[in-house]
Amino acid sequence: MKRVLDRNQDKAEQIRSLLKEKKVRMYNLISSPGAGKTTLLEQTCRHLDHQLRVGIIEGDVYTDRDAQRLKQYGFPIVLINTEGGCHLDSNSIDGALKEFDLEEMDLLFVENVGNLVCPSHFDLGETAKIAVVSTSEGDDKPIKYPMLFRDARAVILNKIDLLEHTNFNYDAFIKDLRQVNPTVPLFETSCTRGEGLQDWYRWLEQEGRNA
Amino acid sequence: MHEVSIVNDLFRIVLDVAEKEKLSRIDKVHFQLGRMMQVVPELFRFAFDSAKADTIADQAQLEIEFLSVKMRCKDCGHEFEVDQEDFCCPQCQGVDLDLLQGKELFIKSIEGE
């Protein structure tokens, strides 16, 4: 019996122990395209400015547009173009990590390729996965993609300001999410308006103290 | 499209094993696939058939055995199969569950000579 993806898993474990040794936390942000990962990172970087030493690994299918958007905050960014690939893997993260000075870093965000299925299968050696979902994409995501929502250490429900303009059934979303993952912290945010982000920042700080 | 990455990894292992076992031809690969992995079988077969071209597995058959999602309820200990989307214990309605089966991507056997 041979396990497929063992090579990815072995590399991920190496990364996990390296990050632990260097006391760097790494969060793997997973969502559909357009849920708001980049805007969440923009807000978060702006908030964390000078409080924590942050780095970003930006997964993009072809372009550097997201990396360009994030550049202005002055944090080190490494872009990984997957050239059509639908997810990042631990080997590409291993390469990206060599570009950072991990001694001078507290927190790393990985913006995975926009996709809810594939990225959740590939362990990157992250401290935790964060699932980002938005009200404009429908309320059935937790039950359709249980693997991600079970594994996530936090869930962000973004575009909460658009709720009244969509047919997003909030109660159904909560019921499904709680069935798939009864205890995961949920942050309801509008990353464009900045609503609800304080709780997310507090959670990030708390996680740092617990690490 | 994680099917392609999984198949690439599968082939690396299959060809490795074939080399170690000194096989000159691979006839069949028996693969176990957990339902939680959301692999699309048609895409997986297509990726397999593309990958096998020009290798010693170019005539190989792919046999996929699906494994259901099984959970154990942390509250009452009941073990059950998840039917479709029902991530809930049928005995006590508990939702705090341990995954027992469903994430498998295993090569169970390779046949060849």
Side-chain angles (χ1 to χ4, degrees), chain A:
Chain A
M1 187 86 85
K2 293 269 186 186
R3 289 163 191 268
V4 175
L5 302 189
D6 255 9
R7 195 168 51 158
N8 185 74
Q9 197 60 43
D10 292 348
K11 183 66 86 181
E13 295 305 340
Q14 286 171 21
I15 292 172
R16 194 164 281 118
S17 36
L18 172 74
L19 294 175
K20 202 170 176 188
E21 184 199 316
K22 304 285 182 194
K23 296 189 172 59
V24 178
R25 286 181 288 145
M26 182 166 90
Y27 293 106
N28 181 4
L29 268 56
I30 300 177
S31 81
S32 328
K37 290 185 299 301
T38 311
T39 314
L40 173 71
L41 277 181
E42 283 185 290
Q43 291 279 18
T44 306
C45 288
R46 209 176 289 159
H47 177 80
L48 293 175
D49 199 13
H50 307 305
Q51 290 181 38
L52 286 169
R53 296 166 299 176
V54 179
I56 297 166
I57 298 175
E58 183 60 48
D60 217 317
V61 182
Y62 288 110
T63 73
D64 65 349
R65 290 199 173 196
D66 288 347
Q68 289 298 342
R69 267 173 70 184
L70 290 163
K71 226 174 177 173
Q72 57 179 305
Y73 302 100
F75 296 112
I77 299 180
V78 174
L79 173 69
I80 302 174
N81 267 141
T82 60
E83 296 183 0
C86 52
H87 58 268
L88 296 173
D89 61 21
S90 55
N91 199 45
S92 54
I93 295 295
D94 186 54
L97 286 177
K98 293 185 171 60
E99 311 275 321
F100 292 106
D101 181 1
L102 295 177
E103 302 291 344
E104 299 296 323
M105 189 140 293
D106 302 307
L107 201 54
L108 262 173
F109 289 107
V110 179
E111 182 173 349
N112 216 312
V113 177
N115 179 345
L116 286 172
V117 182
C118 316
S120 59
H121 293 21
F122 291 82
D123 189 348
L124 305 181
E126 70 272 323
T127 311
K129 292 185 175 76
I130 312 286
V132 184
V133 60
S134 67
T135 57
S136 56
E137 49 188 298
D139 48 64
D140 54 1
K141 293 290 179 283
I143 217 78
K144 277 175 124 171
Y145 306 99
M147 190 149 152
L148 170 62
F149 288 89
R150 272 185 70 82
D151 286 349
R153 194 178 292 176
V155 174
I156 291 177
L157 175 59
N158 193 28
K159 306 190 189 177
I160 200 77
D161 52 321
L162 299 183
L163 191 57
E164 59 184 299
H165 306 292
T166 67
N167 59 357
F168 186 92
N169 184 333
Y170 178 83
D171 293 338
F173 173 81
I174 298 291
K175 182 176 163 278
D176 287 351
L177 176 65
R178 289 307 168 210
Q179 197 178 88
V180 172
N181 192 336
T183 53
V184 68
L186 170 69
F187 303 104
E188 298 174 14
T189 64
S190 161
C191 290
T192 49
R193 295 189 182 185
E195 284 162 31
L197 286 165
Q198 293 302 326
D199 291 339
W200 156 247
Y201 302 145
R202 261 196 293 279
W203 181 83
L204 276 177
E205 286 158 18
Q206 189 64 43
E207 281 270 298
R209 284 194 285 274
N210 295 343

Side-chain angles (χ1 to χ4, degrees), chain B residues 15-112:
Chain B
L15 297 177
D16 256 16
V17 170
E19 200 183 316
K20 272 187 205 131
E21 301 293 329
K22 302 193 171 30
L23 299 180
S24 57
R25 197 183 76 216
I26 295 165
D27 299 322
K28 198 182 214 176
V29 177
H30 185 147
F31 189 61
Q32 286 185 319
L33 180 53
R35 293 267 188 204
M36 196 84 172
M37 299 307 280
Q38 298 189 313
V39 166
V40 181
E42 293 76 21
L43 279 177
F44 195 80
R45 286 191 182 282
F46 180 77
F48 183 88
D49 288 340
S50 309
K52 75 183 186 183
D54 303 323
T55 72
I56 58 165
D58 62 354
Q59 299 297 317
Q61 278 182 10
L62 172 68
E63 193 176 306
I64 304 178
E65 179 189 349
F66 288 98
L67 300 178
S68 58
V69 178
K70 282 190 184 154
M71 300 277 190
R72 183 191 290 117
C73 174
K74 283 194 197 173
D75 295 329
C76 76
H78 182 57
E79 293 182 11
F80 61 99
E81 241 173 60
V82 173
D83 184 23
Q84 290 280 322
E85 343 182 299
D86 220 2
F87 291 88
C88 178
C89 173
Q91 278 203 358
C92 74
Q93 273 68 56
V95 289
D96 201 1
L97 312 171
D98 275 330
L99 184 84
L100 300 177
Q101 179 184 289
K103 281 192 180 180
E104 294 75 11
L105 293 175
F106 292 165
I107 300 169
K108 195 177 174 190
S109 66
I110 298 167
E111 288 173 31

